[in-house]
Amino acid sequence: LSRYPLANLTFTELQPRAGFYENRVVLHATAEIPEGPIDLFVTHLTNGRAAVNEAQAKSLLAFVQTEAKYPAIVAGDFNAVETSVQILWLTERWEDSFRTANPTSPGETCCVSDLSDLTSTPFPFERRVDYLFLVPGTKMAIRPVAVVRLFDMPYETAAGPLWLSDHAGLLATVVLEPHP
């Protein structure tokens, strides 16, 4: 969903496939926001073998380099911790918005192992595998102002408490600025 018009909708299957029934993709759209266009990418890399996850991260980078024409946000479940080879490699190229905005916070986003457990503390998360990377454009830079974790506890519904996901969400506030 977007409050702004979306254009240039594209996608690709990340390579290699982790298994016959496990296709991982990256979706792309350009949002026409008041400050100018911004490219948006969302993905979910395999939680299987680390070598396959690493190769999918490289496949993702290649797709973003091909499709991004404007400043970009690349978001998703990367199924890799901050110290993994693929995340270190990506952060050499893209800005890890959460780490920039929260240099000392562990930022765990994963995982609620039992979604029927509605008595957990608000922070049952054990590792950080979800990221919002920022990719500057040729004419505009993108900078994080704040990045916070949300949906990190069950919410009350008419039917009782409910976890929204087994992962916490991330909400980023960013600004677009002309390159100096």
Side-chain angles (χ1 to χ4, degrees):
L1 299 174
S2 175
R3 65 190 272 190
Y4 300 108
L6 297 176
N8 306 320
L9 303 172
T10 59
F11 72 95
T12 194
E13 183 179 349
L14 298 174
Q15 298 299 322
R17 291 175 69 177
F20 185 76
Y21 294 107
E22 186 180 339
N23 300 332
R24 301 295 177 145
V25 299
V26 54
L27 304 175
H28 163 252
T30 302
E32 302 291 341
I33 64 173
E35 295 82 0
I38 185 168
D39 284 305
L40 306 171
F41 297 86
V42 64
T43 193
H44 186 180
L45 279 65
T46 186
N47 63 353
R49 295 187 325 267
V52 175
N53 182 288
E54 185 177 338
Q56 287 179 351
K58 289 180 180 178
S59 178
L60 170 66
L61 176 70
F63 182 73
V64 171
Q65 287 176 325
T66 300
E67 296 296 314
K69 307 295 185 249
Y70 308 104
I73 297 174
V74 182
D77 178 350
F78 283 70
N79 275 312
V81 296
E82 196 170 357
T83 56
S84 66
V85 171
Q86 54 273 42
I87 298 301
L88 292 172
W89 185 76
L90 287 173
T91 57
E92 289 175 1
R93 292 150 177 81
W94 300 337
E95 182 175 8
D96 177 352
S97 65
F98 183 87
R99 186 54 56 223
T100 298
N102 305 282
T104 61
S105 173
E108 295 99 340
T109 56
C110 182
C111 292
V112 177
S113 58
D114 182 2
L115 292 174
S116 66
D117 177 5
L118 303 173
T119 61
S120 293
T121 62
F123 305 105
F125 306 100
E126 300 172 351
R127 62 190 186 280
R128 180 171 180 238
V129 297
D130 302 285
Y131 299 88
L132 290 168
F133 289 110
L134 306 179
V135 182
T138 55
K139 296 180 183 174
M140 300 286 282
I142 186 169
R143 181 176 55 82
V145 174
V147 182
V148 297
R149 186 173 70 179
L150 65 163
F151 311 130
D152 57 3
M153 59 187 300
Y155 284 82
E156 283 299 324
T157 69
L162 177 68
W163 282 102
L164 297 179
S165 173
D166 63 330
H167 291 243
L170 293 172
L171 174 66
T173 303
V174 299
V175 295
L176 291 173
E177 301 169 326
H179 279 296

